Amino acid sequence: MADSTVTYEQLNDLSAEFDDAETELIRQDVIVKAPLYEKRQKLIAQIPNFWPLVFEQASPDIDEFIQPSDSSLLLNSLVNLTVSRFEIEDGGKGDPRSLLFRFEFNENEHFEDKVIEKKFWQRKAKCGWTGLVSEPVEIQWKKGKDLTGGLLGTVKKVWAARQAQTKDAASKASKDLTIDERALKKKIEDTGLGSMSFFAWFGYVGHNVSAEESQEATETARRERLSRQAGDETTDTNGANDGGNDEDDHDDENELEIFPEGETLAIAISEDLWPNAIKYFTQAQEQDEVSDDDFESEAGDEKEGEEETAYSDEEPPPAKRLKT
Amino acid sequence: MADSTVTYEQLNDLSAEFDDAETELIRQDVIVKAPLYEKRQKLIAQIPNFWPLVFEQASPDIDEFIQPSDSSLLLNSLVNLTVSRFEIEDGGKGDPRSLLFRFEFNENEHFEDKVIEKKFWQRKAKCGWTGLVSEPVEIQWKKGKDLTGGLLGTVKKVWAARQAQTKDAASKASKDLTIDERALKKKIEDTGLGSMSFFAWFGYVGHNVSAEESQEATETARRERLSRQAGDETTDTNGANDGGNDEDDHDDENELEIFPEGETLAIAISEDLWPNAIKYFTQAQEQDEVSDDDFESEAGDEKEGEEETAYSDEEPPPAKRLKT
């Protein structure tokens, strides 16, 4: 081939083109499947314990974050989950990768909230990093029932204090932790991430990238890419968008993160648990199902409204027909 | 809600609607990204060792199937990989989920082949099972160098014999294994699936579902679904497409399968390794990369054509600019 020199910039530019294509395909996906998700919502609203059973069948990359006490709380009180792409709802032109998780709960012994929502925004940082960022969400824990042992509340407090700082002060103070931050850091170390409650996920923050920084970085990267593609191969991007050292600028944020895998979990729920919920629910049913023969021999005699196939909160239904 | 009864059929019908939507979205995906994959092919063709380095970074669900001897063969001789959706190429109206893997190799000590191809067809069985099926592919091993210890050849022989049988004979003989089949079964047991070569994947067959059966099952399922949706809820599908006992009809096939996870691996390669190849390649580079400072301090003096950043077959390139 005449030109046998391949640069990182060329590979990264192509990756960016793939990302753009993928983003538009996600937009299509959301539009095409919206009526199907509505239909699903109507069906599963009639099945108590649908979501708890789905969570019980979750793949290991979700299940590993669910402690026994979380599992028991979810099983007893999770009544609905919806995952939506809030930036493109109602004709919005935002990023289809941004996510809103809405959990609905019954009265339970742990917290007062009936609804807990968490938003993740797709952002691009000046250093080239792209991904989901969020804000800590508070939960109104009942006395002595906080599954995060106070961590979630502390995260919110620390985050609010940082938000209140001017940018100058934040930059000056960034190396010295405040009293609250030191307390948070110690609590995180004491808890150990392996035994962290699923509900600590609501405290995930991620990289500190504002909407403005993201928009600017996106535009700059696109401009540079176009200029390179127009033949100006000497454009010096000084490491921006080079994919090489994405994490460097943000390393110091991580020590106050109570749920470092927050983005991974958000993606696993939105791309696996949420779209495949019926599959997981069916799987849960099959595990407790009487054999098909048993079902079929009874089917003829079965009358609508009989109680033996009724679906209670305590146990999965034994037979083919699900009822509430 | 007025109607509070949800049946498995309703859930399965909705899943089928999701599947149909997903299939069309995959078709879109393939069309939209085709020019990007062409562009990528032109770039990576200039980078020796691109694919071996990508395989080295493969996620655990691929890596677990690659033995040390496979890895060494791939590293030394894999020169190209393409994954294509052969049923929809050149305007074809087939299933976009069907896959063609094409591996290109350099001269190597293990086999004569320069190209090894494997096709997977997306099929639906009468029992409701859907997934990828394949045919065993032979490899021209050099003497004493067969990484599958003769298994691949035996699988091909057994498969060809079964294909040659009439349907009646096959059904009569299905419980009694032939001499070759018994030999194959013993070999599989002796090898142990955990230490099976990656190249045994080329012997994956999967469920025995013909194109005709698949087409018929697809049409029947769609007809029944439409009829149920039109209000005829009493349609008795006799377990067809009920998702409940998909595997029952095919259990006896599995004992002669040398690579039971063949479909899983095909999906992992096509949906992870293939689309994310640049990411994995970059990851491989970063592991051996000199620091950015080193690179940048040299960059000014660097002349096009200097050999210190040349990219050899033996080691990953040390600097930012990749050359062949």
Side-chain angles (χ1 to χ4, degrees):
Chain A
M1 234 171 257
D3 177 10
S4 66
T5 308
V6 180
T7 65
Y8 274 96
E9 271 78 20
Q10 285 175 292
L11 291 177
N12 285 325
D13 285 352
L14 182 54
S15 289
E17 286 189 74
F18 270 107
D19 284 348
D20 287 352
E22 183 65 28
T23 303
E24 290 316 301
L25 287 161
I26 295 174
R27 202 184 299 277
Q28 277 306 308
D29 185 287
V30 173
I31 294 168
V32 167
K33 291 184 186 161
L36 299 179
Y37 279 114
E38 262 179 51
K39 207 163 168 177
R40 189 179 80 173
Q41 183 55 40
K42 279 183 192 148
L43 281 182
I44 66 184
Q46 304 169 54
I47 307 173
N49 263 5
F50 179 87
W51 285 108
L53 288 167
V54 169
F55 268 94
E56 273 191 356
Q57 297 291 321
S59 62
D61 51 340
I62 292 173
D63 196 52
E64 66 173 315
F65 296 114
I66 301 177
Q67 308 298 333
S69 48
D70 300 325
S71 178
S72 145
L73 171 52
L74 290 172
L75 187 61
N76 290 314
S77 64
L78 178 64
V79 289
N80 199 19
L81 167 67
T82 49
V83 179
S84 55
R85 310 279 175 162
F86 66 96
E87 287 200 45
I88 61 165
E89 276 179 345
D90 307 321
K93 301 281 181 224
D95 197 310
R97 291 168 296 183
S98 293
L99 296 164
L100 166 62
F101 296 85
R102 181 187 160 91
F103 292 78
E104 294 170 47
F105 294 94
N106 265 336
E107 184 70 36
N108 68 73
E109 57 168 327
H110 284 282
F111 48 70
E112 304 289 351
D113 311 77
K114 291 283 175 293
V115 172
I116 309 180
E117 290 191 335
K118 187 160 178 74
K119 275 184 177 174
F120 291 78
W121 289 267
Q122 177 74 27
R123 294 274 163 84
K124 183 182 189 69
K126 276 185 294 188
C127 70
W129 176 89
T130 59
L132 295 170
V133 306
S134 189
E135 295 177 358
V137 170
E138 260 180 309
I139 293 179
Q140 306 302 318
W141 299 104
K142 293 182 180 173
K143 205 171 155 52
K145 291 294 187 179
D146 183 344
L147 290 170
T148 71
L151 265 173
L152 196 51
T154 312
V155 164
K156 175 80 184 200
K157 206 169 149 190
V158 163
W159 182 83
R162 287 214 165 181
Q163 293 300 109
Q165 282 179 328
T166 64
K167 225 175 172 184
D168 270 4
S171 144
K172 257 179 234 152
S174 66
K175 294 293 164 199
D176 303 318
L177 298 182
T178 64
I179 293 170
D180 280 337
E181 287 170 350
R182 277 202 301 273
L184 175 57
K185 195 179 162 198
K186 187 165 184 316
K187 267 190 188 170
I188 292 171
E189 287 162 4
D190 291 351
T191 308
L193 297 175
S195 56
M196 195 67 85
S197 163
F198 170 78
F199 289 89
W201 180 58
F202 290 97
Y204 169 78
V205 175
H207 291 338
N208 183 20
V209 184
S210 68
E212 293 70 35
E213 175 178 342
S214 184
Q215 204 181 341
E216 214 179 292
T218 306
E219 277 164 22
T220 305
R222 183 159 297 153
R223 207 169 43 238
E224 289 176 350
R225 168 153 54 112
L226 291 175
S227 125
R228 273 193 297 276
Q229 285 171 345
D232 181 9
E233 297 224 2
T234 58
T235 308
D236 184 359
T237 59
N238 260 324
N241 193 30
D242 73 354
N245 54 348
D246 291 355
E247 304 296 322
D248 295 1
D249 298 5
H250 294 281
D251 272 357
D252 57 327
E253 287 169 12
N254 238 333
E255 63 182 1
L256 299 179
E257 185 66 78
I258 62 171
F259 209 96
E261 296 296 313
E263 177 179 17
T264 311
L265 180 54
I267 289 174
I269 295 177
S270 66
E271 296 187 359
D272 177 12
L273 194 83
W274 171 251
N276 298 315
I278 292 180
K279 185 190 85 184
Y280 289 124
F281 173 75
T282 308
Q283 221 167 272
Q285 302 288 306
E286 281 164 17
Q287 285 188 357
D288 292 270
E289 203 174 49
V290 291
S291 84
D292 261 34
D293 286 347
D294 286 352
F295 168 68
E296 278 168 20
S297 62
E298 282 175 34
D301 311 323
E302 204 177 89
K303 287 181 194 72
E304 285 283 331
E306 275 186 6
E307 285 301 305
E308 87 270 29
T309 56
Y311 194 12
S312 87
D313 277 17
E314 260 59 63
E315 43 181 3
K320 289 245 138 189
R321 184 163 286 253
L322 310 178
K323 294 177 187 176
T324 52
Chain B
M1 231 171 261
D3 176 10
S4 66
T5 307
V6 179
T7 64
Y8 273 97
E9 270 79 20
Q10 286 175 291
L11 292 177
N12 284 326
D13 284 353
L14 182 54
S15 288
E17 286 189 73
F18 270 106
D19 283 348
D20 287 353
E22 183 64 29
T23 303
E24 289 316 302
L25 287 161
I26 294 173
R27 203 183 297 276
Q28 277 306 307
D29 186 288
V30 173
I31 293 167
V32 167
K33 292 185 184 159
L36 299 179
Y37 279 114
E38 261 179 52
K39 209 163 166 177
R40 189 179 79 173
Q41 183 56 40
K42 279 182 194 151
L43 281 182
I44 66 185
Q46 304 169 55
I47 307 174
N49 263 4
F50 180 87
W51 286 109
L53 287 167
V54 168
F55 268 92
E56 272 192 359
Q57 297 291 320
S59 62
D61 51 342
I62 293 172
D63 195 53
E64 65 174 314
F65 297 113
I66 301 177
Q67 309 298 334
S69 48
D70 300 325
S71 178
S72 145
L73 171 52
L74 291 172
L75 187 62
N76 290 313
S77 64
L78 178 64
V79 288
N80 198 21
L81 167 68
T82 49
V83 179
S84 54
R85 310 280 176 163
F86 67 95
E87 287 201 45
I88 61 165
E89 276 180 345
D90 307 320
K93 301 280 182 224
D95 197 309
R97 292 168 295 183
S98 293
L99 296 164
L100 166 62
F101 297 84
R102 180 186 160 91
F103 292 78
E104 293 170 47
F105 294 93
N106 265 335
E107 183 68 37
N108 68 73
E109 57 169 328
H110 285 282
F111 48 70
E112 304 290 349
D113 310 78
K114 291 283 176 288
V115 172
I116 308 179
E117 291 191 334
K118 187 160 177 73
K119 276 184 176 175
F120 292 78
W121 290 266
Q122 178 73 28
R123 294 273 163 85
K124 183 182 189 71
K126 275 185 295 189
C127 70
W129 175 89
T130 60
L132 295 171
V133 305
S134 189
E135 295 177 359
V137 170
E138 259 179 310
I139 294 179
Q140 306 302 318
W141 299 104
K142 294 183 179 173
K143 204 168 156 55
K145 291 294 186 178
D146 183 344
L147 289 170
T148 71
L151 266 173
L152 197 51
T154 312
V155 164
K156 176 80 184 201
K157 203 168 152 190
V158 162
W159 182 83
R162 286 215 166 181
Q163 293 301 109
Q165 283 180 328
T166 64
K167 225 176 169 180
D168 269 6
S171 147
K172 256 179 232 151
S174 67
K175 294 293 163 203
D176 303 319
L177 298 184
T178 62
I179 292 170
D180 280 335
E181 287 170 351
R182 276 204 301 274
L184 175 57
K185 195 178 165 199
K186 185 161 186 316
K187 267 191 189 172
I188 292 172
E189 286 162 5
D190 290 350
T191 308
L193 296 177
S195 56
M196 195 66 86
S197 163
F198 170 78
F199 290 89
W201 180 58
F202 290 97
Y204 168 79
V205 174
H207 292 338
N208 182 19
V209 185
S210 67
E212 293 69 35
E213 175 178 343
S214 184
Q215 203 182 341
E216 211 180 293
T218 305
E219 277 164 22
T220 306
R222 183 160 297 152
R223 205 167 46 236
E224 288 176 352
R225 167 150 59 106
L226 291 175
S227 125
R228 275 193 297 274
Q229 284 169 346
D232 182 11
E233 299 225 2
T234 58
T235 307
D236 184 358
T237 58
N238 260 325
N241 193 29
D242 73 354
N245 54 348
D246 291 353
E247 304 298 322
D248 295 2
D249 298 5
H250 295 282
D251 272 356
D252 57 328
E253 288 169 13
N254 238 332
E255 62 182 1
L256 298 181
E257 184 69 76
I258 62 170
F259 209 96
E261 297 296 314
E263 178 179 18
T264 311
L265 180 55
I267 289 174
I269 295 178
S270 67
E271 296 186 359
D272 178 11
L273 193 84
W274 171 250
N276 298 315
I278 291 180
K279 186 190 85 183
Y280 289 123
F281 174 75
T282 308
Q283 222 167 272
Q285 301 289 305
E286 281 164 17
Q287 285 188 358
D288 293 272
E289 203 173 49
V290 292
S291 83
D292 262 34
D293 286 347
D294 285 352
F295 167 67
E296 279 167 19
S297 63
E298 280 175 37
D301 311 322
E302 203 177 90
K303 289 181 194 72
E304 287 282 331
E306 274 183 7
E307 285 301 306
E308 86 270 29
T309 55
Y311 195 13
S312 87
D313 276 18
E314 260 57 64
E315 42 182 4
K320 289 244 136 187
R321 185 164 285 254
L322 312 178
K323 294 177 188 175
T324 51

